[in-house]
Amino acid sequence: MLKLSRKTEYALMALRHLSGKSAGELTSSKEIAGTYRIPGELLAKTLQQLAREGIVETVQGPHGGYRLKANLNLINLSDFIELLEGPVALTDCSIDNNCSQIMTCTIRTPIHRINEKMKEIFSNTTLAEVMQ
Amino acid sequence: MLKLSRKTEYALMALRHLSGKSAGELTSSKEIAGTYRIPGELLAKTLQQLAREGIVETVQGPHGGYRLKANLNLINLSDFIELLEGPVALTDCSIDNNCSQIMTCTIRTPIHRINEKMKEIFSNTTLAEVMQ
DNA sequence: GTTTAATCCGACTAAAGAAGTCGTATTAAT
DNA sequence: ATTAATACGACTTCTTTAGTCGGATTAAAC
Ligand code: FES
Ligand code: FES
């Protein structure tokens, strides 16, 4: 139904929170979850994923937490979404060819065209812009 | 995950099939389902919905079936998708305000901006173009 | 007027995906 | 040693989507 997953939403909110902090400052996932009433465990896992991808940095142990690592001006929304929820594809066949309709489908090419335009919007939007 | 539902896919394929027929000619839902290996009952229900919306016309009884009614140049993809699967909204709050995060959310406005661009793409595409 | 081949439509079930929870391990400051 | 944080996989629950079924209606053909 063309909706972003909550995971993506939470990730964006977390990044915005982090980008409001002074450089190097650490924030616990608990603080963020508490502020926005987000399920803590879920946010934690999401932040861990962002850490693996080099978007945030983590410090373990008491007083540990997360802080921004990547430059949000250099990450586009398309890559970010694909990171968290897989390929941006209106249909299965938009990316790979695992679509069950592939042999008989008559709308593949036009849908693909629209898909490209959609991806373009996301590609042309940086995470920094989403934080504004 | 930003994917169209199968219902929408099937509906588009059916419309394309119908638009290949000569004006006034009837096609049974069974013929279409058979051609593209689509579950018959599901396609039938979808066509019935399109009929209620005035996009196709139906004739009951033996030798009955469906034929195009609306001009596909005059229907945009945005309306079509919304007809079949509800509002095009990246988040719950993009349309109504039923989002659970509404009080604390910090990314509402930027997401809304992107949502508008996305809808614009769909609005600027007619069904006729998708049939090409 | 009976049979038949189609649409009609709601209710149901099954499958898939998303969201959230839990348990346990690791890390490092105090 | 204790504590407060991250790390991470497995699990459960919830929601949505996909598909099926049963029975009604319609109208052509015989
Ligand atoms: S929808 Fe996948 S081939 Fe057309
Ligand atoms: S996602 Fe709904 S208010 Fe932000």
Side-chain angles (χ1 to χ4, degrees):
Chain A
M1 207 246 239
L2 301 173
K3 224 160 62 175
L4 294 175
S5 71
R6 289 229 197 275
K7 209 166 105 180
T8 305
E9 250 179 82
Y10 296 161
L12 290 171
M13 289 167 73
L15 286 182
R16 187 171 206 272
H17 191 92
L18 291 179
S19 69
K21 300 278 173 142
S22 50
E25 189 181 351
L26 289 168
T27 309
S28 74
S29 100
K30 206 177 155 190
E31 171 183 325
I32 302 176
T35 305
Y36 307 111
R37 308 281 164 76
I38 294 173
E41 302 281 348
L42 185 50
L43 177 65
K45 275 203 313 193
T46 305
L47 283 166
Q48 284 155 28
Q49 193 176 348
L50 295 182
R52 279 193 297 272
E53 304 290 345
I55 296 177
V56 300
E57 208 165 26
T58 88
V59 172
Q60 286 196 331
H63 304 309
Y66 301 87
R67 69 183 152 221
L68 278 183
K69 182 179 181 191
N71 179 346
L72 298 186
N73 284 293
L74 301 181
I75 303 175
N76 71 61
L77 192 52
S78 178
D79 291 344
F80 188 72
I81 292 173
E82 301 217 325
L83 208 80
L84 291 168
E85 42 186 297
V88 171
L90 285 175
T91 55
D92 295 325
C93 49
S94 297
I95 296 290
D96 53 59
N97 286 345
N98 289 14
C99 184
S100 55
Q101 248 72 41
I102 197 86
M103 293 306 289
T104 48
C105 183
T106 52
I107 55 163
R108 199 169 170 238
T109 313
I111 291 290
H112 192 256
R113 258 199 312 269
I114 296 162
N115 197 70
E116 286 303 303
K117 285 191 197 169
M118 208 173 97
K119 258 193 90 166
E120 216 174 299
I121 290 180
F122 293 134
S123 298
N124 289 333
T125 306
T126 67
L127 286 190
E129 290 176 271
V130 182
M131 308 288 108
Q132 283 162 16
Chain B
M1 207 245 239
L2 301 172
K3 225 159 61 176
L4 294 176
S5 72
R6 289 230 198 275
K7 208 166 105 179
T8 306
E9 249 179 83
Y10 296 160
L12 289 171
M13 290 167 72
L15 286 183
R16 186 170 205 270
H17 191 93
L18 292 178
S19 70
K21 300 278 172 142
S22 51
E25 189 180 351
L26 288 169
T27 309
S28 73
S29 100
K30 207 177 154 188
E31 170 182 326
I32 302 177
T35 304
Y36 307 110
R37 308 280 165 77
I38 293 173
E41 303 280 349
L42 185 51
L43 177 64
K45 274 203 313 193
T46 306
L47 285 166
Q48 284 155 29
Q49 192 177 348
L50 295 181
R52 280 193 296 272
E53 304 290 347
I55 296 176
V56 300
E57 208 166 25
T58 89
V59 172
Q60 286 195 330
H63 304 309
Y66 301 88
R67 68 183 153 222
L68 279 182
K69 183 178 181 191
N71 179 348
L72 298 186
N73 285 294
L74 301 181
I75 303 176
N76 71 62
L77 191 53
S78 178
D79 291 345
F80 189 71
I81 292 174
E82 301 218 325
L83 207 80
L84 290 169
E85 41 186 298
V88 171
L90 285 175
T91 54
D92 295 326
C93 49
S94 297
I95 296 291
D96 52 59
N97 286 345
N98 289 14
C99 184
S100 55
Q101 249 72 42
I102 197 86
M103 293 305 291
T104 48
C105 184
T106 51
I107 54 164
R108 200 168 169 239
T109 313
I111 291 289
H112 192 256
R113 259 198 311 268
I114 296 162
N115 196 70
E116 285 303 304
K117 285 192 196 170
M118 208 173 97
K119 259 194 90 165
E120 216 174 300
I121 289 180
F122 293 135
S123 297
N124 289 333
T125 307
T126 67
L127 286 190
E129 291 176 271
V130 182
M131 308 288 109
Q132 283 163 15

